């Protein structure tokens, strides 16, 4: 009576459809090789501390004190913790009755949410309401909550940039919605192409899809492009005309490596536009402690801020958040600290500023080193990494390489990346994991390996690439 | 211009789900709490007493020192280079922190880990499970999650294909299960625990519900068991557990064993036996029964709710299914590292001979003894009142007394458009500041009324709570007597 156990066939189809290449085939193969003793350079995920970036000192001091409040009672605590870290730990413990071990408000500690609101106000020049800011265990959980609230069925479409960070495609699959792609223009440095976007929307609608939301990732992942103010205005006008909620993934807002287009938040542009649009366009903005120069991925600290979302909808979002009880409290404290870091005059400021500047300056240099390094390789063309943490070079594979790949049952970029991994230990993610135009191949790597390791990594890549291209070059065409 | 994201066009599953533990009564309590701050003296009580949620440290329970020592050192590993720490931290917490950091690639506690959690920590947890059960556990079967709840959601996502997929859930239940089933679009198939036998589980009853559901076209996929129970507190008898396991095997059900209260046992005549142990004792292996066992750092004597640490141990699943579980876990990358470390600590606490053992044991025993006393005090107090009967809390953190409400009270509730137990709970809140959760939030036999009250307020507050409750209850019953 009944089936034996739980068979693969009996699983939720939506689960089976989900793909997440960032920890997919390439990563699993890299892990296998690592177990066999091969030295692997993991550049598959934006995980700075895994590649040697050190945590900032001040936040770790504060959280350690919050973790073990008995330290604050010890007369010798001042010998190993600076006074401002001690004061800040007391500040957070006062905000969190019960300390780190108690569930907080399901939206996050009110005092931390206030710090987030104050940060947003300083950044944008417009007030922000802490009641509309929800802290989450990483930004991803917030993205999933919002998409789950929006997607009713397979006819609900979400506009997603291509290439995109595959959390979006995975979440849409999981919740049974429809991904409506809008292609970024590689020839224009991965710029936004609203003409193409409108075409996508029209095509989807003619197939019976109701477009509900538009995702933007600014700065972009994997592409790194930073949207201009004009771009953001276009997007907001578009969302207004088409009745879409804008989901603005701004987790890389502190990672900007050029000066022409500094980061501007979608919310600021929206309010700058004024008028009915500023009161009606619905916007959800996401941020995290995992990126920037903090890189505290393992803490799982994030937030989303809701703008122009109706109160009853907010109530439903609250209800779903309450089922998870609360985000992790240490992660919330990291967020508070990121929102209100040491200021000039604070004891810890000089060290904090030095650590931060050193990381950001190095990221900027590495963005350039990597872009130039890829561009020096045969059949590789790479847009400059304007922001975020990745490089997304285009690999122009010769026909023979593509044929060989396909007869091995692999997508050409997967084949290339596996060969790269086996030859050099560099673990990347094939462009197909992010989406790309048909027949155009890429890979994503990060700019995170230590600066001193970069030259060796780029030369190892070049050696592999150029010999791969040589091997598969179709000489009959020359 | 119509708002795109309005209640009318939200995912209906989101609209349908409910979670009373932080629902209406609690929201009202928070408003009253603000009122106490802005207008002191405006209410018949001085403070709100939150007895709605299993959140021990919010009510004064202290964390276990050893665990916090290790976590602080892992959060700020630079401390390990300073001689001064020898006077601030126990020697074994220092060596444990070093050992844990050595198991983390690059000692980087700020990096995303393996999506199942750090291997070395899973090894520790597997060893802890093995030592607890006497049967081996495998690190590859363990998935560390942000609290146990995400693991429950993951399994519901995996199992529920459509509204005809059913999950057997005990009534009363912790409403994560009903909420999660609603969110994922499945059917909750209730099986009623028997209040008159201390909330006992009758397999014949479960079987009846299963067959009933099947006759209605429901494909029943899994059985949820909460042991020790929430809100009911019963600890399953071993024989009962054998019956449950055999039942699941015969009916082809996945067994979802919520065991987060495994270290909250207050009676001498019952012990916790993990379902994994029961399954293996029956000689069942990987081919025989899919089992998911949940554990959390939020409960027990550690009560570290805010850390969001927990794990699920998955056994009896085929490789293709395990790959899907891994894949879904990987989309979120990993759970928070500090929570992972804590999960490994609770499964491998200080042992006899360790420097911290004596103080650790004193803290642990003190907390459990206090919980035991509070459970008993509150249970006795409820039972002394006319119109309330209360089963013993053998484990967990709650009491779930039954209210015999007079007809007039039930009518008054109806007139106020509230469930009778919600009506009672609201009146209790407004008169005394005590926050409980109405039984309707957990499910109950229709026509019976309950509320869930935690045993967590500080021991010195318990007499005042009892006396305030008594005054309210007797007045309420007098007001509505037939």
């Amino acid at each position: 009576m009944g089936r034996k156990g739980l068979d693969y066939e009996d699983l939720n189809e939506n689960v089976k459809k989900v793909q997440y290449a960032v920890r997919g085939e390439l990563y699993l193969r890299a892990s296998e090789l690592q177990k066999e003793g091969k030295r692997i350079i993991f550049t598959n995920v934006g995980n700075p501390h895994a590649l040697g970036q050190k945590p900032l000192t001040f936040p770790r001091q504060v959280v350690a004190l919050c973790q073990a409040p008995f330290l604050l009672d010890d007369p010798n605590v001042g010998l190993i913790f600076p006074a401002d870290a001690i004061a800040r730990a007391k500040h957070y413990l006062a905000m969190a009755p019960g300390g780190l071990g108690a569930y907080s408000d399901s939206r996050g500690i009110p005092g931390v949410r206030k710090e987030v609101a104050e940060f947003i106000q300083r950044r944008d020049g417009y007030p922000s309401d802490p009641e509309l800011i929800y802290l989450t265990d990483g930004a991803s959980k917030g993205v999933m909550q919002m998409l789950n609230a929006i997607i009713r069925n397979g006819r609900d479409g979400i506009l997603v940039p291509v290439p995109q960070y595959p959390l979006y495609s995975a979440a849409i699959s999981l919740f049974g919605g429809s991904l409506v792609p809008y292609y970024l223009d590689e020839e224009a440095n991965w710029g936004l192409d609203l003409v193409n976007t409108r075409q996508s929307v029209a095509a989807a609608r003619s197939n019976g899809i109701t477009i509900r939301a538009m995702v933007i990732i600014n700065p972009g992942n994997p592409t790194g492009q930073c949207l201009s103010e004009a771009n953001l205005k276009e997007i907001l006008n578009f969302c207004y005309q088409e009745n879409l909620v804008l989901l603005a993934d701004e987790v890389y807002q502190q990672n900007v490596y050029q000066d022409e287009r500094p980061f501007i938040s979608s919310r600021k542009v929206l309010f700058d536009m004024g008028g009915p649009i500023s009161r009606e366009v619905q916007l959800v903005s996401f941020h995290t402690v995992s990126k920037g120069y903090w890189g505290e991925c393992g803490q799982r600290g994030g937030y989303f801020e809701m703008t122009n979302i109706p109160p009853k909808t907010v109530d439903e979002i609250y209800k779903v958040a309450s089922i998870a009880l609360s985000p992790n409290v240490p992660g919330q404290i990291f967020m508070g600290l990121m929102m209100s870091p040491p200021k000039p005059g604070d004891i810890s400021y000089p060290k904090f500023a030095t650590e931060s500047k050193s990381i950001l300056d190095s990221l900027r240099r590495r963005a350039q080193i990597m872009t130039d390094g890829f561009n020096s390789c045969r059949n590789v063309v790479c847009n400059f990494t304007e922001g975020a943490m990745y490089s997304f070079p285009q690999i122009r594979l010769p026909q023979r390489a593509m044929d060989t790949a396909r007869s091995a049952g692999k997508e050409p970029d997967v084949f290339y990346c596996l060969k790269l991994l086996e030859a050099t230990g560099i673990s990347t993610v094939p462009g197909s994991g992010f989406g790309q135009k048909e027949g155009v191949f890429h890979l994503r790597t990060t700019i995170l390996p230590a600066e001193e390791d970069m030259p060796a990594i780029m030369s190892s890549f070049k050696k592999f690439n150029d010999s791969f291209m040589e091997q598969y070059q179709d000489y009959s065409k020359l | 211009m119509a708002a795109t994201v309005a209640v009318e066009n939200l995912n209906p599953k989101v609209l349908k789900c409910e979670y009373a533990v932080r629902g209406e009564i609690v929201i009202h309590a928070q408003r009253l709490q603000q009122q106490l701050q802005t207008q002191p003296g405006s209410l018949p009580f001085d403070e709100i007493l939150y007895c709605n949620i299993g959140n021990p440290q919010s009510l004064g329970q202290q964390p276990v020192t050893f665990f916090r020592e290790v976590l602080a050192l892992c959060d700020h590993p630079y401390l390990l280079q300073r001689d001064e720490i020898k006077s601030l931290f126990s020697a074994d917490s220092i060596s444990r922190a070093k050992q844990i950091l050595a198991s983390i690639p690059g000692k980087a506690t700020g990096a995303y880990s393996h999506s199942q959690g750090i291997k070395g920590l899973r090894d520790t947890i597997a060893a802890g499970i093995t030592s607890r059960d006497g049967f081996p556990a495998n690190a590859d079967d363990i998935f560390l999650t942000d609290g146990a709840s995400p693991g429950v959601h993951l399994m519901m996502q995996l199992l529920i294909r459509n509204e005809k997929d059913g999950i057997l859930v005990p009534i009363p239940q912790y409403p994560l299960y009903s909420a999660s089933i609603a969110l994922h679009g499945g059917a909750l198939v209730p099986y009623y625990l028997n209040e008159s036998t201390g909330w006992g589980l009758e397999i014949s009853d479960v079987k009846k519900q299963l067959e009933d559901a099947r006759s209605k076209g429901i494909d029943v996929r899994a059985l949820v068991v909460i042991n020790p129970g929430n809100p009911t507190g019963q600890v399953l008898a071993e024989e009962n557990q054998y019956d449950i396991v055999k039942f699941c095997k015969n009916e082809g059900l996945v067994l979802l064993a919520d065991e987060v209260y495994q270290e909250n046992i207050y009676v001498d005549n019952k012990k916790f036996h993990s379902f994994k142990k029961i399954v293996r004792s029956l000689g069942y292996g990987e081919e025989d029964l899919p089992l998911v066992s949940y554990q959390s750092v939020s409960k027990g004597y550690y009560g570290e709710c805010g850390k969001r640490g927990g794990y699920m141990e998955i056994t009896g699943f085929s490789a293709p299914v395990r790959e899907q579980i891994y894949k879904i876990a990987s989309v979120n990358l990993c759970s928070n590292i500090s929570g992972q470390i804590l999960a490994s600590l609770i499964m491998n606490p200080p042992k006899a001979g360790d420097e911290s053992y004596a103080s650790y044991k004193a803290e642990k025993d003190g907390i459990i003894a206090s919980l035991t006393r509070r459970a008993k005090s509150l249970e006795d107090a409820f039972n002394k009142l006319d119109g309330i009967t209360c089963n013993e809390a053998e484990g967990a953190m709650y009491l779930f007394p039954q209210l015999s409400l007079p007809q007039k009270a039930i009518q008054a509730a109806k007139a106020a458009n509230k469930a009778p137990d919600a009506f009672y709970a609201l009146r209790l809140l407004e008169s005394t500041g005590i926050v409980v959760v109405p039984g309707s939030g957990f499910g109950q036999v229709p026509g019976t009324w309950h509320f869930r009250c935690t045993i967590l307020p500080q021991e010195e507050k318990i007499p005042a709570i009892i006396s305030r409750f008594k005054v309210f209850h007797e007045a309420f019953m007098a007001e509505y007597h037939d």
Side-chain angles (χ1 to χ4, degrees):
Chain A
M1 172 72 221
R3 73 181 69 74
K4 180 172 176 288
L6 176 68
D7 291 332
Y8 176 80
E9 290 68 52
D10 304 324
L11 297 181
N12 179 358
E13 286 301 320
N14 288 344
V15 164
K16 292 186 217 171
K17 282 186 195 142
V18 167
Q19 288 181 307
Y20 186 69
V22 172
R23 280 213 164 154
E25 184 183 354
L26 253 299
Y27 167 75
L28 293 170
R29 179 76 186 122
S31 303
E32 264 169 44
L33 289 170
Q34 186 182 47
K35 279 195 196 133
E36 291 166 22
K38 190 173 174 70
R39 182 173 167 254
I40 303 293
I41 304 149
F42 285 98
T43 72
N44 59 306
V45 64
N47 198 9
H49 294 200
L51 290 160
Q53 181 175 311
K54 295 276 167 267
L56 300 166
T57 306
F58 184 75
R60 293 306 188 97
Q61 291 171 325
V62 174
V63 176
L65 287 166
C66 290
Q67 196 77 263
F70 64 81
L71 291 170
L72 293 167
D73 297 330
D74 193 295
N76 291 326
V77 66
L79 291 175
I80 49 176
F81 291 92
D84 54 354
I86 293 169
R88 193 73 82 92
K90 290 180 177 167
H91 161 85
Y92 287 113
L93 288 171
M95 275 185 194
L100 266 53
Y103 294 126
S104 71
D105 184 308
S106 296
R107 294 161 292 190
I109 296 166
V112 174
R113 284 152 52 219
K114 185 157 173 287
E115 288 178 334
V116 175
E118 286 163 359
F119 161 83
I120 292 169
Q121 169 142 17
R122 281 193 309 274
R123 182 193 67 192
D124 296 347
Y126 294 102
S128 173
D129 184 357
E131 296 300 287
L132 296 173
I133 293 167
Y134 283 34
L135 304 179
T136 51
D137 285 312
S140 299
K141 289 245 167 93
V143 168
M144 297 204 103
Q145 273 178 46
M146 289 311 307
L147 287 171
N148 187 44
I150 292 168
I151 296 171
R152 296 164 297 187
N153 54 52
R155 289 182 307 284
D156 276 341
I158 311 288
L159 266 169
V160 174
V162 177
Q164 47 103 38
Y165 173 53
L167 165 68
Y168 294 95
S169 45
I172 292 165
S173 291
L174 198 54
F175 303 135
S178 245
L179 190 153
V180 179
Y182 68 92
Y183 287 83
L184 301 174
D185 186 353
E186 188 162 12
E187 265 81 72
N189 216 45
W190 296 115
L192 178 73
D193 176 359
L194 260 191
V195 171
N196 172 276
T197 309
R198 286 182 201 282
Q199 283 167 352
S200 259
V201 166
R205 281 177 178 155
S206 68
N207 282 332
I209 304 288
T210 306
I211 317 272
R212 305 291 308 283
M214 179 174 186
V215 173
I216 60 169
I217 310 174
N218 180 37
N221 177 3
T223 47
Q225 86 288 3
C226 298
L227 292 170
S228 66
E229 190 174 346
N231 282 155
L232 288 167
K233 278 196 181 133
E234 272 186 296
I235 289 164
L236 287 160
N237 272 318
F238 178 70
C239 289
Y240 182 62
Q241 286 149 17
E242 303 295 337
N243 208 16
L244 310 178
V245 58
L246 181 61
L247 303 176
D249 177 339
E250 299 177 331
V251 301
Y252 295 102
Q253 57 186 268
Q254 293 165 334
N255 300 102
V256 176
Y257 311 126
Q258 41 71 36
D259 303 316
E260 292 76 38
R261 274 174 308 287
F263 172 75
I264 313 176
S265 79
S266 303
R267 192 168 187 269
K268 179 181 193 316
V269 176
L270 180 63
F271 287 153
D272 283 346
M273 288 165 89
I277 191 177
S278 69
R279 290 185 297 274
E280 291 176 33
V281 169
Q282 296 183 328
L283 168 64
V284 184
S285 313
F286 301 92
H287 199 10
T288 182
V289 305
S290 300
K291 311 299 177 191
Y293 53 93
W294 283 59
E296 292 277 12
C297 302
Q299 310 300 343
R300 313 319 268 118
Y303 76 74
F304 62 89
E305 180 198 19
M306 295 178 277
T307 302
N308 297 333
I309 305 287
K312 284 199 183 139
T313 303
V314 174
D315 289 343
E316 294 295 328
I317 305 282
Y318 173 77
K319 182 180 73 177
V320 174
S322 78
I323 300 169
L325 285 158
S326 93
N328 89 77
V329 176
Q332 296 187 43
I333 293 174
F334 271 96
M335 181 56 82
L337 287 162
M338 190 173 89
M339 297 287 97
S340 58
K343 295 184 302 298
D346 292 350
I347 296 164
S348 298
Y349 177 74
K351 185 168 195 187
F352 182 85
T354 307
E355 287 173 344
S356 311
K357 186 170 188 304
S358 155
I359 290 167
L360 280 171
D361 288 350
S362 175
L363 282 167
R364 191 178 264 239
R365 287 191 299 270
R366 284 179 276 168
Q368 197 64 64
I369 293 170
M370 211 165 219
T371 306
D372 293 346
F374 282 130
N375 279 316
S376 79
C377 296
R378 196 162 145 191
N379 293 346
V380 178
V381 171
C382 189
N383 280 333
F384 175 61
T385 295
E386 297 184 348
M389 287 180 171
Y390 310 98
S391 191
F392 197 64
Q394 187 187 137
I395 317 288
R396 294 179 173 163
L397 294 166
Q399 191 58 47
R400 272 187 46 224
M402 295 197 270
D403 295 340
T404 311
R406 293 202 166 103
S407 49
K410 298 248 172 268
E411 279 301 294
D413 50 6
V414 175
F415 178 77
Y416 177 93
C417 290
L418 282 167
K419 292 282 178 208
L420 169 67
L421 170 65
E422 277 153 18
T424 66
I426 300 170
S427 167
T428 59
V429 188
S432 45
F434 305 86
Q436 53 203 352
K437 286 207 170 104
E438 184 83 33
V440 184
F441 302 104
H442 304 79
L443 59 81
R444 187 188 82 164
T445 178
T446 67
I447 60 168
L448 300 174
E451 210 170 330
E452 58 265 26
D453 296 336
M454 276 287 192
I457 290 172
M458 294 318 292
S459 102
S460 169
F461 177 89
K462 186 173 161 65
K463 183 160 172 261
F464 159 79
N465 176 77
D466 292 1
S467 98
F468 179 98
M469 294 303 171
E470 181 63 40
Q471 180 187 350
Y472 289 100
Q473 187 60 54
D474 187 359
Y475 284 102
S476 71
K477 292 257 166 68
L478 291 177
Chain B
M1 172 127 266
T4 181
V5 172
V7 153
E8 301 78 67
N9 51 29
L10 286 182
N11 178 355
K13 293 179 265 193
V14 164
L15 298 174
K16 187 176 165 207
C17 78
E18 288 177 316
Y19 186 70
V21 174
R22 277 199 163 166
E24 192 190 328
I25 279 261
V26 181
I27 292 170
H28 188 59
Q30 285 162 343
R31 270 186 244 124
L32 292 178
Q33 184 166 40
Q34 277 196 301
Q35 186 179 332
L36 280 174
Q37 279 169 351
T38 55
Q39 304 164 54
S42 62
L43 292 167
F45 49 84
D46 293 325
E47 61 173 328
I48 300 284
L49 288 155
Y50 288 100
C51 301
N52 60 302
I53 182 173
N55 195 10
Q57 293 191 30
S58 76
L59 294 168
Q61 181 174 308
Q62 294 301 300
V64 172
T65 305
F66 179 79
F67 297 158
R68 293 302 190 92
E69 287 181 297
V70 175
L71 288 171
L73 290 166
C74 290
D75 273 337
H76 189 38
Y78 160 80
L79 291 171
L80 293 165
Q81 297 168 31
R82 300 288 299 256
D83 276 335
E84 293 94 330
I85 63 165
K86 292 195 185 106
S87 64
L88 291 163
F89 293 85
S90 60
D92 51 349
S93 72
I94 292 170
S95 60
R96 184 73 78 97
K98 285 181 176 165
Q99 181 205 359
I100 288 170
L101 287 166
S103 74
I104 299 175
K107 301 193 182 174
T109 52
Y112 293 125
S113 70
H114 185 288
S115 293
Q116 285 179 240
I118 293 158
K119 176 69 169 37
L121 300 177
R122 285 185 280 129
D123 286 335
T124 302
I125 291 169
I129 294 171
T130 304
S131 132
R132 178 195 68 195
D133 294 346
F135 291 96
N138 198 320
D140 290 338
D141 294 341
I142 293 166
F143 284 72
L144 285 154
T145 49
D146 289 306
S149 301
V152 170
H153 283 295
L154 194 155
M155 288 311 300
M156 294 305 176
Q157 225 155 37
L158 204 75
L159 289 168
I160 296 171
R161 295 163 296 186
N162 54 54
E163 67 278 3
K164 293 235 165 291
D165 277 337
I167 310 286
L168 276 160
V169 172
I171 300 295
Q173 46 104 42
Y174 172 52
L176 164 67
Y177 294 96
S178 47
S180 186
I181 292 166
L183 266 176
H184 299 296
L188 189 153
V189 179
Y191 66 91
Y192 289 85
L193 300 175
N194 188 341
E195 188 160 12
S196 62
T197 61
W199 299 112
L201 185 159
E202 321 285 335
I203 272 292
S204 54
D205 239 14
V206 183
K207 190 167 162 67
K208 183 171 169 302
Q209 296 299 338
L210 168 68
E211 284 165 354
D212 196 53
R214 280 178 178 157
S215 72
K216 294 187 180 125
I218 303 289
D219 188 349
V220 182
R221 312 292 309 277
L223 171 72
V224 172
V225 183
I226 310 173
N227 183 43
N230 176 5
T232 48
Q234 86 287 8
V235 177
L236 291 170
E238 215 177 338
E239 308 80 65
N240 227 185
Q241 289 182 277
Y242 285 122
D243 290 340
I244 291 165
V245 167
K246 287 178 197 164
F247 174 75
C248 288
K249 175 157 162 44
N250 294 339
E251 300 294 345
L253 303 174
V254 176
L255 177 55
L256 302 175
D258 178 340
E259 300 179 327
V260 303
Y261 296 99
Q262 58 187 265
E263 301 217 58
N264 298 100
I265 313 269
Y266 311 126
V267 293
D268 296 323
N269 62 336
K270 289 278 182 75
K271 278 169 66 73
F272 172 74
H273 303 286
S274 78
F275 270 100
K276 170 93 177 309
K277 178 170 93 169
I278 300 291
V279 167
R280 293 285 179 267
S281 313
L282 282 168
Y284 294 158
E286 279 297 312
E287 300 296 309
D288 292 304
L289 177 67
L291 165 67
V292 182
S293 310
Y294 296 98
Q295 166 62 317
S296 168
V297 306
S298 301
K299 312 300 176 189
Y301 58 91
Y302 17 90
E304 295 274 23
C305 301
K307 299 298 179 60
R308 313 319 273 118
Y311 69 79
M312 55 182 194
E313 182 193 13
I314 65 168
T315 52
F317 292 89
S318 64
V321 173
R322 293 169 66 99
E323 272 167 31
Q324 295 301 308
I325 294 173
Y326 171 83
K327 181 179 72 176
I328 299 299
S330 79
V331 176
N332 193 52
L333 285 157
C334 74
S335 65
N336 84 79
I337 306 300
S338 183
Q340 292 188 30
I341 293 172
L342 185 52
S344 78
L345 291 170
I346 66 164
M347 295 307 287
N348 182 21
K351 308 235 175 346
D354 294 348
E355 175 186 322
S356 296
Y357 180 69
S359 57
Y360 153 81
K361 184 101 183 21
E363 286 173 348
K364 172 183 175 181
D365 290 348
I367 289 167
I368 298 289
S370 174
L371 286 166
T372 307
R373 286 191 298 270
R374 285 178 273 169
K376 207 66 189 136
S377 302
L378 285 166
E379 180 208 328
D380 288 346
F382 286 135
N383 275 315
K384 284 202 178 87
L385 296 169
D386 273 334
I388 300 190
T389 54
C390 187
N391 279 338
E392 181 178 35
E394 296 181 332
M397 289 179 173
Y398 315 97
L399 288 164
F400 198 65
Q402 188 181 150
L403 293 162
S404 299
L405 292 171
Q407 203 48 42
K408 274 169 71 178
I410 294 175
Q411 282 158 7
K414 202 165 174 210
N417 203 20
K418 294 219 173 302
D421 46 17
F423 180 75
Y424 179 94
L426 183 59
R427 290 285 302 272
L428 171 68
L429 167 62
E430 287 173 344
S431 312
T432 66
I434 298 170
V435 191
V436 299
V437 187
S440 39
F442 303 87
Q444 53 207 343
V445 169
T448 66
W449 313 109
H450 301 79
F451 61 88
R452 188 186 80 167
C453 179
T454 70
I455 60 171
L456 300 174
Q458 280 174 320
E459 225 167 328
E460 52 266 28
K461 288 210 160 110
I462 298 278
I465 290 175
I466 289 173
S467 72
R468 252 194 271 174
F469 189 97
K470 177 172 149 74
V471 166
F472 159 77
H473 178 80
E474 288 173 348
F476 182 93
M477 296 303 252
E479 184 184 342
Y480 291 107
H481 83 270
D482 290 315

